[in-house]
Amino acid sequence: MGNRLSKITTRTGDDGTTGMADGSRLSKADLRFDAMGVIDGLNAHIGLLQAYLDNPKIIKQLSDIQHRLFNIGGEIALPNHADIGYIAITDTDIISLEEQLDEHNDTLPYLKEFILPAGSVATAQTHIARSICRDAERTLIKLSLRDGNIRKQTLQYLNRLSDYLFVLARVVARQDGKEEVLWQKS
């Protein structure tokens, strides 16, 4: 890894630009910063979710996901990531997430109704993370269409992650002893 920040207040961004990991500077209004911000927000919400849980296996899975999200932030912060060989997400990461998703889903009853993002605090927090994950996926797709340098594995991982979080919300609801809140047409 490169240099760590020893001084946080640098004043170099006072002109509305921010330095990228490759040394280039971009406007803080650039889509790349929207992408980094939504990934950071997702990571923070997953961190908060962990604080509501007491299942060590799920907490470990979420911690691993946080590390992958940090890697994705690195990919976004390195516009030249392909040139230097930086790989944020591998096919193995996607397969692992799919396996965890399937393992959780196998414990659940067949879904016959739409579920509202509600229930216990932990369930609701899982749904918040899921919705932010969808925001992240859409933002990274926009960035990929604009710049063409977001790897397909990164986009696939975010797509699987939102599915994982949906299934996890159902699991957490049961672990919390709560019913899922089902949508009822008025």
Side-chain angles (χ1 to χ4, degrees):
M1 291 302 281
N3 296 330
R4 300 279 192 248
L5 293 176
S6 58
K7 184 176 180 183
I8 302 303
T9 304
T10 63
R11 295 182 178 85
T12 59
D14 290 350
D15 66 353
T17 65
T18 295
M20 300 297 291
D22 67 355
S24 64
R25 293 195 71 78
L26 293 176
S27 166
K28 291 181 181 184
D30 192 276
L31 179 60
R32 193 162 291 277
F33 292 111
D34 291 341
M36 284 189 285
V38 74
I39 291 293
D40 187 39
L42 172 59
N43 209 337
H45 274 286
I46 289 174
L48 179 59
L49 173 59
Q50 289 177 68
Y52 291 129
L53 301 176
D54 61 7
N55 182 315
K57 182 177 181 179
I58 293 174
I59 292 170
K60 169 73 167 93
Q61 289 175 355
L62 293 172
S63 178
D64 290 343
I65 288 166
Q66 284 191 292
H67 287 277
R68 301 295 83 70
L69 291 172
F70 205 86
N71 292 350
I72 291 171
E75 179 177 322
I76 299 165
L78 285 164
N80 65 339
H81 65 86
D83 298 337
I84 63 172
Y86 181 84
I87 297 174
I89 299 295
T90 66
D91 291 332
T92 303
D93 294 325
I94 297 166
I95 292 167
S96 176
L97 190 60
E98 288 172 348
E99 289 170 350
Q100 292 169 29
L101 190 160
D102 290 343
E103 182 181 322
H104 288 305
N105 200 41
D106 288 346
T107 69
L108 298 170
Y110 184 73
L111 186 58
K112 299 175 188 172
E113 306 287 338
F114 289 106
I115 298 172
L116 295 181
S120 70
V121 172
T123 302
Q125 181 61 37
T126 309
H127 280 294
I128 290 170
R130 174 194 51 78
S131 70
I132 293 172
C133 187
R134 287 285 186 214
D135 290 343
E137 182 183 13
R138 286 189 300 273
T139 304
L140 262 68
I141 288 170
K142 289 176 192 173
L143 184 60
S144 179
L145 290 171
R146 186 191 79 180
D147 294 354
N149 70 346
I150 300 298
R151 296 180 71 245
K152 72 175 184 164
Q153 290 88 345
T154 300
L155 298 173
Q156 290 170 341
Y157 186 84
L158 288 173
N159 190 21
R160 298 306 182 285
L161 180 56
S162 62
D163 294 339
Y164 168 91
L165 291 166
F166 176 78
V167 169
L168 185 63
R170 297 189 69 208
V171 169
V172 169
R174 282 162 177 74
Q175 289 181 355
D176 284 350
K178 304 280 185 180
E179 295 280 325
E180 291 175 313
V181 179
L182 303 178
W183 171 71
Q184 297 177 5
K185 185 176 176 185
S186 302

